[in-house]
Amino acid sequence: MNSIPINEFHTDPVQFPGLDVYAVAGNPIAHSKSPLIHQRFAAQSKQAMHYGRLQPAVGEFVSVAKSFFAAGGKGMNVTVPFKLDAQGMAEVLTSRAQLAGAVNTLWIKEGKIYGDNTDGSGLVRDLLAQGIEIRGTRILLLGAGGAARGVIGPLLDQLPVQLTVVNRSNSRAEELVSMFAGLAKIKGVQLEARTLLELEDHAMTTTAFDLVINATAAGLNDESPLTAGAVNNIFAPSSFAYDMVYGKTTAFMQQALLRGARVSDGLGMLVEQAADAFLIWRGADLSGQIDSRAVLSELRS
Ligand code: NDP
């Protein structure tokens, strides 16, 4: 995967006089939907901006991002595999970016690079927009990578009664739980790590979960993190199953559908995290002018 300089994807800020230039950086990046989403937000709120793509080689994110900002770039979204690099290069981090341990949104303010993480707020907004209750519910979070870590804080803020984290590598789930134990205590949420074997054991998992969030990358390879035994114990027809992977009915979603549960992919999360980034860059006063659900409908059609 080669480095692509900042003009290759038609993203060099010097090429766009009179426009504020933004970009999404990832590797690979060619199929990212972020440019389309941000162009729609810009059109809805009449912002003079250009939003392009950047594909740094692995190991070259920081130099590409610095070149982009030095050339006048105003802000950047960051996706796989650069969210940790972005956190490392930000000079000022929001508290939720510190908690998440990763940054998906960068911008320049008074000569300093700021970093935030809008993945968790994007997930929460998409769930609420779909009418999914979070307060008072029992949530199962599958995965312990960057995406899982990014959403735990915003989920705890919504005051579920219980948040259970399960990951293929158990130790990573335990690490996450100890990292968020203090916040969970303050919020009065029972936060725990469990193993897949415990989910499969009906004596240990006696009640289905209200909300099951798949924050693993398994769906990208048409796999599910759940075995058939676990599926029987965790889903009921009243459950809601959310897969962060988007663009298809994943194996995880199919398992939930077979148990009669309702399902969603993660496209709404993608749009909502973009909306949060857009408002950070262009001003929260534009929130009434952008319509993220209309953009989501357009992407789905
Ligand atoms: P990471 O690489 O940081 O973590 C991957 C996670 O998936 C780990 O918990 C890993 O487990 C687990 N995993 C991978 N393959 C399997 C498998 N076959 N079975 C079980 N578990 C598996 O990735 P991220 O956390 O950054 O991203 C996770 C997913 O979320 C990606 O698919 C990404 O596209 C999606 N995402 C979607 C967003 C949206 O806006 N919709 C935003 C952010 C992410 P282990 O620790 O054992 O390796």
Side-chain angles (χ1 to χ4, degrees), residues 78-81 83-84 102 104 117-120 122-123 126 142-151 166-173 176 196 214-226 242-246 265-274:
V78 184
T79 185
V80 178
K83 290 183 186 180
L84 290 182
N104 75 341
N117 189 311
T118 64
D119 282 338
L123 169 69
D126 186 38
L142 302 166
R149 182 169 167 179
V151 301
V166 171
N167 189 48
R168 182 173 59 182
S169 322
N170 297 336
S171 59
R172 292 185 77 194
L176 269 195
L196 191 56
N214 185 12
T216 76
L220 297 177
N221 301 318
D222 294 324
E223 292 170 3
S224 167
L226 293 175
Y242 191 99
D243 201 326
M244 288 193 192
V245 168
Y246 50 83
D265 75 353
L267 190 59
M269 174 178 174
L270 181 78
V271 174
E272 296 296 351
Q273 62 78 28

Side-chain angles (χ1 to χ4, degrees), residues 86-99 101-103 105-107 113-117:
Q87 195 208 24
M89 84 173 283
E91 293 159 279
V92 184
L93 289 173
T94 62
S95 54
R96 62 186 182 179
Q98 280 172 27
L99 255 184
V103 156
T105 305
L106 291 168
W107 69 101
I113 297 178
Y114 281 66
D116 196 0
N117 189 311

